[in-house]
């Protein structure tokens, strides 16, 4: 008995420990009722609604009644009055009377009123710059030489007490054809005028001068800003700039580009701005080329080497560059918010040390910056971001494992690791399956049922079509991994198992965060902030020892903290959809836009819900929640395919609040004239037709339907320009360069446009510089006569090289598209001027007695706002399009010469 007694005590102790561990496992403990899944979905919807509300909220504008009470505050009503004057002028293309005369008159009248009312302590200077120049630029993958003649800049300088350094504000008052440009960019000019008005009435001068640049040729693109930054004497004083732009129509202004380098600019924004809205991820997306747009920021940065901040309104991109970008769809609150923020920035920079010290050591380093629902703004250096991302990723894994193992013992690390791996793999599999299903849905919507872009006007359909199925497959993956791989006997209770799976999800995002950080993406902060919040939740649970508390308080903490995370994550869904949905309406006809939206929606859904998905294993009947999601997916699929909700476009409604979401149609009534070799007068052939630029997936169908309606048989005879027989011999098929660079459609027509004026080419001189048996050097001197917007294509023939010209110091790279290549020139005239000389230095390896042509030159004249030149037939055709189509008509002349 003496020997058996100790053995009995040891055995009973082991049994007690085993029972204690087994007591952690209970398949029913803390299980939620089946409708708990609906509660989780409701939580996501609630947080998404709150972030959506904060996304669109604008403070009310000050009115005329507030002027006496707040004389030195930005007044949105007064800025609105200026905007309505500019909007009333209609489209203001560079070179048009509306832009070069009437818009200038409106702005100069405002300058006169400001000068008459400024405080005696202030000095306000005004200059009009009429400037010409040229430069080479790569614009969205196309190398071109940009030439501008007599474009206008209106420049006001508010002289500072120390008139050595200056801050510059920039806007442009020109617009694209058929658009009044209320948001892009007359609203910014109205904001700048009000800021100038307020500052000019202050009783004390600012320390530094402020230059207000109102440029008249941005849409051409980016030409007037080049003329200022490279040619005006005040440009040498500029140490920083604020560029005010728009890629939408109203809403908040997004800070989306900074620097380059110069972190003090972001620090100044953080200190000054009352209503922050800025995301570093926007900068990386914009500079990647995913967004088909550019701003004057590029010119000031690359040609002036000046640091700055780039702001743009991004909401309602449907109206961007359409006739609906008007005051009818804006409000003074838009101007008030932008004006409050920019005025605060201007006051801080114009009176601080930053401009004078901008070239010190603080000029190096990129910044990570972001706001949280507009409540506060955070910024730190990219190096600090790298450290933060890695520390948070590792710390979360350590704390998550410690939280679970502190309950069951560190000796059970294999169980913990197994469940964490299950969570990681389930998230990986569910994410892959969700993206795969979205790609399949996108393919089916486009190729099978022919309903791509069904969400374009009904953007809520994206949630049902592309968000819900991803969430459903994430739920299924986590549920099936739990059912198939969970052991019946384990030291981990159900709650601890779920927490271990959440750590597995953390591992998934930690690897992505570290990978993005190592790759050098500052936008890794987006996931790092979410991981920080989850780390806080796990730390709080572990410190309070609530991991296995019978009341399930760990779940309450997880949901409360994750509600904040949901506010953070859902705002990116709103940002991305607001940016990318309207872009699909102008991104071209070749790519299926549902693929883009499906991937974006899948990424946002995984990002938003992945830390909630493991909770599916706490539900008593989880497939009821999964079934609910499946029904929602089927309902959205039905609405998108067989109902009117799936039609992509809407026209203007009965009230101004019914904002249209239109299809863009660009149609050029084009005449093509081919001249005899070495002649600029004698035609060898000519024809005419309608040239359509296909902006979106459904443009071609609309165009063919309208052609068929106008003349039966015309719709079927329309063809791509590259299918024309002359493509084998003529430079760029005898078409404007854009017809080959972008997806286009050509419809031959018997009626020719009225073309009383055009850009004509004349050969002034043909000079043989050198001739020998091995070849020749020839100089061609050409004049381009006519002050209209035009493009030039120069294609040397075989064995001929362009070795130099008079436009740029070096000959640029050729523009290449669809097997064609040529040197591409864009020429813009503001005010009418002298002919543009073009001198070509050519070298050929041909023998001296060869008489073959050396070069082909195609000159395209564009008449964007010359409706008086439209024929009656063309006007009827344009008017026949449905109300949901935004038609931009023009007259185009293509002259092809050979020398």
């Amino acid at each position: 008995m003496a020997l058996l007694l100790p053995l009995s005590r040891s055995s009973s102790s082991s049994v007690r420990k085993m029972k204690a561990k087994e007591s952690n496992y209970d398949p029913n403990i803390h299980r939620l009722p089946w409708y708990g899944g609906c509660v989780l979905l409701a939580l996501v919807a609630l947080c998404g609604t709150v972030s959506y509300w904060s996304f669109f909220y604008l403070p009310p504008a000050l009115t005329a009644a507030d002027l006496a009470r707040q004389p030195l505050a930005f007044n949105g009503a007064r800025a609105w009055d200026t905007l309505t004057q500019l909007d009333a002028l209609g489209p203001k293309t560079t070179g048009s009377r509306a832009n070069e005369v009437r818009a200038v008159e409106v702005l100069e009248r405002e300058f006169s009123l400001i000068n008459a009312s400024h405080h005696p302590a202030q000095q306000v200077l005004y200059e009009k710059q009429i400037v010409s120049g040229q430069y080479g630029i790569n614009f969205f993958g196309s190398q071109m030489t940009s030439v501008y003649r007599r474009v206008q800049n209106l420049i006001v300088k508010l002289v500072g007490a120390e008139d050595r350094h200056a801050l510059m504000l920039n806007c442009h008052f020109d617009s694209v054809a058929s658009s009044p440009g209320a948001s892009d960019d007359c609203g910014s000019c109205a904001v700048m005028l009000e800021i100038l008005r307020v500052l000019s009435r202050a009783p004390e001068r600012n320390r530094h001068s402020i230059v207000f640049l109102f440029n008249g040729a941005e849409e051409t693109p980016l030409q007037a800003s080049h003329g200022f930054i490279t040619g005006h004497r005040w440009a040498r004083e500029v140490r920083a700039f604020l560029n005010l732009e728009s890629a939408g129509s109203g809403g908040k202004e997004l800070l989306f580009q900074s620097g380059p380098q110069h972190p003090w600019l972001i620090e100044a924004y953080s200190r000054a701005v009352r209503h922050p809205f800025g995301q570093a991820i926007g900068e990386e997306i914009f500079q990647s080329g995913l967004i088909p747009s550019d701003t004057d920021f590029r010119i000031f940065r690359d040609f002036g080497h000046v640091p700055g901040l780039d702001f743009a309104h991004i909401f309602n991109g449907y109206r961007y560059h359409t006739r609906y970008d008007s005051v009818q769809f804006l409000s003074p609150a838009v101007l008030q918010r932008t004006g409050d923020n920019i005025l605060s920035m201007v006051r801080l920079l114009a009176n601080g040390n930053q401009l004078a010290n901008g070239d010190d050591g603080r000029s190096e380093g990129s910044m990570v910056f972001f706001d949280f629902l507009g409540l506060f703004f955070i910024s730190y250096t990219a190096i600090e971001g790298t450290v933060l991302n890695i520390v948070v990723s590792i710390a979360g894994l350590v704390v998550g494992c410690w939280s679970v193992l502190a309950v069951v013992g560190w000796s059970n690390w294999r169980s913990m690791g197994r469940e964490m791996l299950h969570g990681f793999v389930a998230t990986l599999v569910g994410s892959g399956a969700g993206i795969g299903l979205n790609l399949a849905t996108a393919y089916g919507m486009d190729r099978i049922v022919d309903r791509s872009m069904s969400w374009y006007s009904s953007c809520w359909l994206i949630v049902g079509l592309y968000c819900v199925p991803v969430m459903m497959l994430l739920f299924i993956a986590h549920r099936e991994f739990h059912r198939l791989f969970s052991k019946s006997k384990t030291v981990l209770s159900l709650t601890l198992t779920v927490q271990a799976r959440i750590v597995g999800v953390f591992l998934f995002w930690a690897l992505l965060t570290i990978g993005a950080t190592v790759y050098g993406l500052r936008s890794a902060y987006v996931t790092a902030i979410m991981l920080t919040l989850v780390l806080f939740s796990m730390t709080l649970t572990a410190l309070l020892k609530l991991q296995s508390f019978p009341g399930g308080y760990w779940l309450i903490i997880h949901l409360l903290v994750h509600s904040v995370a949901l506010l953070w994550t859902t705002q990116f869904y709103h940002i991305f959809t607001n940016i990318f949905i309207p872009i699909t309406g102008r991104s071209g006809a070749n790519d299926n836009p549902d693929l883009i939206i499906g991937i974006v929606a899948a990424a946002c859904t995984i990002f938003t819900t992945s830390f909630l998905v493991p909770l599916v294993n706490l539900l008593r009947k989880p497939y009821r929640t999964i079934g609910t999601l499946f029904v929602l997916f089927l309902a959205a699929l039905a609405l998108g395919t067989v109902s009117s909700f799936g039609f992509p476009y809407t026209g203007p409604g009965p009230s101004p609040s019914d904002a249209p979401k239109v299809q863009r149609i660009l149609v050029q009534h084009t005449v093509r004239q081919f001249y005899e070799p070495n002649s600029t007068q004698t035609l060898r052939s000519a024809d005419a037709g309608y040239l359509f630029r296909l902006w979106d997936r459904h443009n071609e169908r609309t165009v063919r339907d309208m052609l068929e309606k106008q003349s039966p048989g015309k719709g079927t005879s329309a063809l791509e320009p590259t299918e024309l027989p002359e493509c084998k011999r003529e430079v760029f098929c005898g078409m404007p360069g854009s017809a080959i660079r972008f997806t286009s459609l050509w419809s031959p027509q018997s009626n020719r446009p009225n073309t009383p004026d055009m850009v004509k080419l004349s050969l002034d001189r043909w000079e043989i510089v050198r001739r020998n048996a091995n070849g020749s050097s020839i100089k061609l001197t050409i004049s381009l006569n006519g002050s209209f917007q035009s493009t030039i294509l120069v294609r040397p023939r075989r064995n001929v090289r362009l070795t130099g010209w008079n436009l740029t110091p070096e000959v640029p790279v050729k523009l290449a598209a669809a097997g064609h290549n040529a040197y591409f020139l864009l020429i813009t005239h503001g005010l009418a001027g002298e002919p543009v000389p073009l001198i070509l230095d050519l070298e050929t390896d041909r023998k001296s007695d060869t008489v073959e042509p050396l070069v082909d030159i195609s000159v395209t004249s564009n008449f964007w706002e010359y409706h008086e030149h439209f024929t009656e037939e063309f006007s009827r055709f344009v008017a026949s399009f449905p109300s949901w189509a935004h038609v931009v008509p023009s007259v185009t002349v293509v002259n092809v010469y050979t020398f």
Side-chain angles (χ1 to χ4, degrees):
M1 291 291 295
L3 291 175
L4 292 175
L5 185 60
L7 181 62
S8 178
R9 287 177 179 174
S10 176
S11 177
S12 63
S13 175
S14 298
V15 170
R16 284 196 302 269
K17 289 182 179 180
M18 184 177 296
K19 288 183 177 180
K21 291 181 179 180
E22 289 181 357
S23 67
N24 284 320
Y25 177 77
D26 181 349
N28 295 309
I29 193 168
H30 300 322
R31 286 216 172 184
L32 303 176
W34 68 268
Y35 54 82
C38 297
V39 174
L40 293 179
L41 300 182
L43 179 64
V44 175
L46 175 62
C47 293
T49 302
V50 172
S51 63
Y52 179 86
W53 176 82
S54 70
F55 194 61
F56 286 97
Y57 172 75
L58 296 173
L62 296 181
T63 65
D66 298 310
L67 289 173
R69 183 169 54 88
Q70 301 182 62
L72 297 181
F74 185 94
N75 191 282
R78 193 161 51 185
W80 183 258
D81 291 339
T82 303
L83 175 58
T84 55
Q85 295 179 55
L86 292 170
D87 181 81
L89 302 178
K92 296 171 283 296
T93 55
T94 302
S96 67
R97 176 176 173 78
N99 189 69
E100 308 303 329
V101 179
R102 299 175 67 192
V104 171
E105 289 175 349
V106 170
L107 292 171
E108 288 186 330
R109 184 165 58 249
E110 292 294 316
F111 298 157
S112 298
L113 293 174
I114 290 172
N115 191 50
S117 63
H118 74 77
H119 194 279
Q122 303 290 343
Q123 183 181 8
V124 182
L125 305 178
Y126 167 64
E127 287 193 6
K128 177 191 291 185
Q129 181 193 31
I130 300 175
V131 62
S132 300
Q134 56 273 328
Y135 59 96
I137 189 171
N138 189 298
F139 200 67
F140 299 116
S142 299
Q143 187 66 38
M144 72 177 186
T145 300
S146 182
V147 180
Y148 53 93
R149 291 292 180 264
R150 293 176 57 79
V151 299
Q152 298 190 85
N153 286 315
L154 310 182
I155 314 159
V156 180
K157 180 179 179 182
L158 189 62
V159 181
E162 302 175 10
D163 190 17
R164 295 192 302 274
H165 308 296
L167 171 70
M168 182 178 71
L169 276 69
N170 175 70
C171 72
H172 67 90
F173 56 86
D174 66 312
S175 69
V176 296
S178 300
S179 176
S183 184
D184 182 27
D185 188 34
C186 291
S188 297
C189 291
V191 167
M192 282 173 48
L193 278 170
E194 176 62 11
I195 290 174
L196 172 61
R197 185 181 292 112
V198 170
L199 294 177
S200 69
R201 295 179 180 181
E204 295 183 7
R205 286 195 186 190
N206 297 297
R207 176 183 173 184
H208 303 293
S209 298
I210 306 170
V211 174
F212 296 81
L213 172 60
F214 301 81
N215 84 69
E218 190 270 351
E219 301 288 1
T220 45
L222 316 180
Q223 293 177 322
S225 57
H226 180 271
F228 171 80
I229 204 66
T230 60
H232 198 278
R233 69 183 192 282
W234 287 346
R236 294 191 291 272
E237 304 171 8
V238 174
R239 295 294 177 269
F241 68 89
L242 306 178
N243 186 51
L244 308 185
E245 255 293 355
S246 181
S249 178
K252 298 179 179 180
E253 79 292 341
L254 173 69
L255 169 60
F256 70 101
Q257 287 196 99
S258 65
Q261 308 294 315
H262 295 269
W264 56 270
L265 282 166
I266 293 295
E267 294 171 1
Y269 180 88
S270 178
R271 290 170 51 196
V273 169
R274 295 168 54 189
H275 310 291
F277 184 45
Q279 296 285 345
I281 191 174
E283 180 173 299
E284 292 191 330
I285 290 175
F286 187 83
Q287 294 180 356
S288 71
L290 291 175
I291 298 177
S293 186
D294 213 335
T295 75
D296 288 320
F297 179 96
R298 177 182 182 183
I299 298 298
F300 300 138
R301 178 195 65 196
D302 295 349
F303 292 93
H305 307 292
V306 181
L309 300 178
D310 207 2
F311 301 89
H313 297 94
I314 64 169
F315 299 164
N316 296 310
Y318 304 100
R319 303 198 289 268
Y320 174 69
H321 283 187
T322 73
R323 63 178 173 273
Y324 301 108
D325 183 11
S326 68
V327 293
Q328 181 182 7
F329 299 102
L330 291 178
S331 71
V334 174
L335 306 184
Q336 184 69 53
R337 180 202 150 82
T338 303
D340 285 342
N341 285 343
I342 301 302
L343 179 58
S344 297
M345 275 288 295
V346 169
R347 281 173 168 157
L348 186 145
L349 292 174
N351 293 287
N353 298 320
Q354 294 93 340
L355 298 182
N357 301 331
D359 293 330
D360 64 11
R362 298 177 304 129
S363 299
E364 297 299 325
S366 300
M367 295 290 287
V368 175
F369 58 89
F370 56 89
D371 74 286
F372 185 80
L373 303 182
L375 300 176
F376 53 85
F377 188 81
I378 295 176
S379 63
Y380 45 84
T381 66
I383 295 176
E384 292 170 337
T386 298
V387 175
L388 176 65
N389 296 348
I390 295 175
V391 168
V392 167
S393 298
I394 295 175
L397 297 175
V398 172
V399 172
C401 293
W402 169 60
S403 177
V404 175
L405 293 176
V407 177
V408 299
W410 291 86
S411 60
N412 294 293
W413 61 270
R414 288 186 179 86
S415 297
M416 171 66 200
R418 182 173 58 249
E419 297 301 339
M420 183 173 71
L421 183 62
H422 287 171
F424 171 80
V425 176
T427 303
L428 184 63
V429 171
S431 299
I435 294 173
L437 178 58
N438 275 10
L439 294 178
T441 302
Y443 181 85
M445 292 293 289
D446 180 61
R447 295 300 182 90
I448 299 176
V449 299
D450 196 19
R451 274 293 188 118
S452 64
M453 296 179 67
S454 60
W455 32 261
Y456 189 71
S457 61
S458 303
C459 56
W460 49 268
L461 272 176
I462 293 177
V463 176
L465 282 173
Y466 295 119
C467 295
V468 164
V470 174
M471 192 185 310
M472 177 184 70
L473 289 176
L474 282 170
F475 274 139
I476 292 174
H478 274 265
R479 180 57 190 163
E480 289 306 302
F481 264 79
H482 181 80
R483 187 178 65 85
L484 295 174
F485 299 109
S486 290
K487 294 186 176 181
S488 58
K489 295 295 182 180
T490 177
V491 297
L492 297 180
S493 67
L494 180 60
T495 55
L496 292 177
T497 298
V498 170
Q499 290 174 57
R501 301 281 177 81
I502 291 174
V503 179
V505 178
F506 194 102
L507 175 62
F508 174 85
W509 288 108
L511 292 176
L512 289 178
T513 301
I514 293 174
T517 302
V518 171
Y519 192 71
L521 297 178
R522 286 175 293 144
S523 52
Y525 77 90
V526 174
T527 55
I529 297 303
M530 177 181 64
L531 294 182
T532 302
L533 292 168
V534 177
L535 170 60
F536 174 74
S537 173
M538 293 190 298
T539 303
L540 192 60
T541 299
L543 291 177
L544 297 178
K545 299 181 179 180
L546 300 177
Q547 300 95 315
S548 296
F549 200 82
Y553 290 111
W554 75 272
L555 182 58
I556 296 175
I557 290 176
H558 179 73
L559 293 178
L560 286 176
V561 175
H562 204 68
S563 295
V564 180
L566 284 172
L567 294 174
W568 169 255
T569 56
T570 54
Q571 71 171 340
F572 289 99
Y573 173 82
H574 302 314
I575 291 175
F576 292 153
T577 53
N578 265 274
I579 291 175
F580 286 106
I581 292 176
I583 283 177
T584 59
R586 62 181 196 274
S587 60
N590 289 334
D591 298 326
N592 177 7
D594 275 62
L595 294 175
I596 299 172
I597 297 301
I599 292 173
V600 169
C604 290
T605 303
I606 297 165
F607 180 53
T608 300
T609 63
S610 56
F611 281 101
L612 292 178
V613 168
L615 302 181
V616 69
N617 294 308
L618 295 177
L619 301 177
R620 290 199 180 98
K621 296 181 179 179
Y623 272 94
R624 289 193 178 182
T625 301
I626 295 170
T628 300
L629 292 173
F630 183 65
V631 170
L632 291 175
F633 171 57
L634 292 180
L637 204 60
L639 290 174
T641 53
V642 300
S643 78
S644 60
F645 291 109
F647 185 73
Y649 315 105
T650 59
S655 67
S657 60
D658 298 325
K661 298 172 181 177
V662 296
Q663 183 183 56
R664 300 161 189 264
I665 306 288
L666 175 62
V667 52
Q668 299 168 260
H669 194 182
T670 304
V671 60
R672 303 190 304 161
Q673 302 180 136
F674 302 90
Y675 288 83
E676 293 286 355
N678 297 319
S679 173
T680 59
Q681 301 295 326
T682 306
L683 288 174
R684 58 183 166 91
S685 64
D687 63 7
Y690 296 158
L691 178 62
F692 299 91
R693 166 86 176 272
L694 303 183
W695 286 97
D696 75 16
R697 195 66 163 174
H698 302 295
N699 255 180
E700 182 173 354
R701 175 190 299 159
T702 302
V703 167
R704 290 190 183 277
D705 288 346
M706 300 314 298
L707 288 172
E708 190 69 22
K709 179 180 177 181
Q710 179 199 38
S711 303
K714 285 290 185 182
T716 55
S717 65
L719 70 163
E720 295 183 14
T722 52
E723 297 175 3
L724 293 170
E726 57 266 30
C727 265
K728 295 181 179 179
R729 60 180 185 275
E730 304 293 351
V731 54
F732 273 70
C733 304
M735 290 283 179
S738 60
I740 310 302
R741 291 166 57 204
F742 307 108
T743 308
S744 304
L745 205 63
W746 172 256
S747 174
Q749 299 288 324
S750 58
N751 64 313
R752 293 172 53 123
N754 299 319
T755 55
D757 298 299
M758 66 187 76
V759 175
K760 296 181 179 179
L761 182 150
S762 61
L763 179 61
D764 297 337
R765 188 177 181 183
W766 176 302
E767 178 184 359
I768 300 177
V769 179
R770 176 181 56 81
R771 173 183 290 176
N772 54 40
N774 297 323
S776 306
S777 295
I778 299 171
K779 184 185 293 289
L780 294 183
T781 302
I782 296 168
S783 292
L784 298 165
N785 304 280
S787 299
F788 300 96
Q789 292 189 22
S790 57
T791 58
I792 317 296
L793 294 166
V794 179
R795 184 184 68 178
R797 289 289 184 100
R798 186 178 180 183
N799 296 327
V800 179
R801 297 179 303 280
L802 178 65
T803 59
W805 61 5
N806 63 316
L807 298 178
T808 54
E810 297 180 357
V811 177
V813 177
K814 293 180 181 179
L815 169 68
H820 294 261
N821 59 78
Y823 298 100
F824 178 49
L825 291 83
L826 171 66
I827 302 180
T828 301
H829 288 265
L831 299 171
E834 298 296 322
V836 177
L838 177 60
I839 301 174
L840 304 178
D841 295 322
L842 302 172
E843 286 194 3
T844 175
D845 298 334
R846 301 171 185 169
K847 294 182 179 180
S848 58
D849 57 352
T850 301
V851 294
E852 295 180 14
L854 299 173
V855 63
D856 298 308
I857 301 177
S858 173
V859 182
T860 299
S861 307
N862 297 306
F863 302 85
W864 294 110
E865 292 293 342
Y866 291 76
H867 293 253
E868 65 272 17
H869 294 339
F870 294 175
T871 63
E872 291 186 8
E873 184 176 352
F874 183 55
S875 296
R876 286 195 301 270
F877 177 67
V878 170
S880 68
F881 281 81
S883 62
W884 43 261
H886 170 70
V887 183
V888 182
S890 67
V891 172
T892 299
V893 182
V894 181
N895 292 330
V896 180
Y897 307 89
T898 301
F899 301 104

